[in-house]
Amino acid sequence: MDYIQRSYELLRNWKKDSYIVGVGCLDKVGEVAARYGKNALVVSNTTYMKSVADEVVAALEKNGVALAGGKIANDAKPNAPREDVYRLTTYVLQYQPDCIVAIGGGSTIDACKAASMLAVLGGDITPEIDAYFGTGKVTEYLAKTGKKLVPVVAVETSASSGAHLTKYSNITDPVVGQKKLIVDPAIVPEVSVFDYKVTCSMPLSVTIDGALDAIAHTFEVFCGAKPEVYDLAQELAECAIGLVTTYAKDLIKDPKDIKAREAIGLATDLGGYAIMIGGTSGAHLTSFSLVDIVAHGTACGIMNPYYAVFYSKAIQKQLKVVGKIFKDHGYSNADIDSLEGRELAIAVASAMIEFGKSIGAPTKLSDLKGFKSEVHITRALNAAKDPDLKMKLQNMPVSMTADDVDEYMAPVLNAAATGDLSIIKEK
């Protein structure tokens, strides 16, 4: 399969007119923003991303779109702290822009989604973001008030996020070190622009984190796919995992390799597609409790092999598909076709771990600087019982409720801490 060509076909058929993607498409932002009016709040980092921001501003000016407030607003810090959401909300309220142009990775785009929501609904519902965590609350409040969100034009700059394509906004409470989710189709950006060439401006570590997240998104959705989307979820997983296992090493050898940058960007976008047809589960849930010590995609990359063993009985078909991809790229010597049950799961998990090692990624929690079992595992177990995050338990390929967390999730986390797959219990 030509993974790159097929990925473009899948993504363009999905998003059509609301998705501009490729190499060299950044100048399209101006004409997109002009659809909404003559005044745009531009949010970006103006130090390490100055050249990108300057190109976007030039494209806006060319199309008659002015900067709200006459300057670029500072972007959000990593993991979108709620304080940055509140700050950006004040800009929206003060400048009343026709649209928000969010230039950055997932943190900035997620913060802008939330800021649009708070600026529009805060006066009628509440300005406290906690009221919007969970699923479907934004749509409910928009129907109640009759209002519309400020359109967000998401200009993705990092192959580390699906934020520009999805209904999710991850916001962090830095006091407790925990992410929470707003999940609602109303917050999907109006238009997404991703020029894969721009990712050359990002540190290699960020892009590799995104590559791991691409695997995580597509693998987790594939594992829990409902019958009506199973074939599509399989194709998304095959393409994304194929792209990452083919091109990640090339990118490490040459961070300026445009084809490799394009491939990893496509893989992350396929990950965004995947989470719009299905849900992520265990690895993502655990990653939310590790935000103080590791980037999101890397956290998911650590956790997925261990959850694969836990899910073993429910995902035998998926393990065959994924295992063959890793085997074809040299990460396993096991006879995937002949294996069954837990033995198959351990073989695939081991291949995933070998891939992680090949790109210099940590493969167990104890590899992480600052990891403390008594802090992070306890936090993750408590978070798994949080009603606002229950969709992650519901998305698991095996049936799990908050009452099951201590019995079954704790061994998965302890296995991930030590690298010992044998201690994982199956449900």
Side-chain angles (χ1 to χ4, degrees), residues 8 20-28 55 193-198 258:
Y8 274 120
I20 299 171
V21 63
V23 175
C25 62
L26 190 61
D27 61 354
K28 301 292 185 183
E55 189 172 343
V193 180
F194 196 179
D195 185 341
Y196 298 134
K197 182 177 65 176
V198 169
I258 296 298

Side-chain angles (χ1 to χ4, degrees), residues 26 52 55 156-158 194-202:
L26 190 61
V52 177
E55 189 172 343
E156 183 64 75
T157 63
S158 173
F194 196 179
D195 185 341
Y196 298 134
K197 182 177 65 176
V198 169
T199 68
C200 290
S201 68
M202 304 299 293

Side-chain angles (χ1 to χ4, degrees), residues 29 33 39-46 52-58 60-61 65-75 87-88 91-92 95 97 99-104 108 112 153 155:
V29 177
N39 185 33
L41 175 64
V42 177
V43 180
S44 181
N45 184 295
T46 55
V52 177
D54 286 348
E55 189 172 343
V56 170
V57 170
L60 292 172
E61 292 175 346
V65 180
L67 292 181
K71 60 182 180 180
I72 297 173
N74 288 334
D75 64 343
R87 173 177 56 81
L88 292 170
Y91 296 154
V92 179
Y95 299 132
C99 68
I100 302 168
V101 178
I103 308 170
T108 292
C112 288
V153 176
V155 183

Side-chain angles (χ1 to χ4, degrees), residues 135-151:
T135 302
K137 294 181 180 179
V138 181
T139 293
E140 174 189 339
Y141 296 147
L142 289 172
K144 182 177 180 179
T145 61
K147 293 186 173 180
K148 294 183 178 181
L149 299 183
V150 181

Side-chain angles (χ1 to χ4, degrees), residues 78-79 177 179 209 212 283 286-303 361-365 367-371 376 379:
N79 298 309
K179 278 188 180 182
D209 182 76
L212 293 167
T286 299
S287 77
F288 295 164
S289 298
L290 302 172
V291 293
D292 58 329
I293 56 172
V294 67
H296 167 71
T298 302
C300 292
I302 292 171
M303 293 306 307
T363 57
K364 56 185 185 293
L365 294 176
D367 292 338
L368 302 175
K369 183 179 180 180
F371 172 72
H376 294 97
R379 182 191 296 167

Side-chain angles (χ1 to χ4, degrees), residues 397-408:
V398 295
S399 175
M400 183 178 282
T401 68
D403 293 335
D404 298 318
V405 166
D406 290 331
E407 181 177 0
Y408 292 103

Side-chain angles (χ1 to χ4, degrees), residues 361-405:
T363 57
K364 56 185 185 293
L365 294 176
S366 57
D367 292 338
L368 302 175
K369 183 179 180 180
F371 172 72
K372 296 179 180 179
S373 179
E374 67 276 13
V375 173
H376 294 97
I377 290 181
T378 300
R379 182 191 296 167
L381 293 174
N382 289 337
K385 302 169 190 174
D386 184 341
D388 285 338
L389 294 173
K390 67 181 180 180
M391 77 285 290
K392 298 300 180 189
L393 290 180
Q394 294 169 344
N395 288 340
M396 287 189 178
V398 295
S399 175
M400 183 178 282
T401 68
D403 293 335
D404 298 318
V405 166

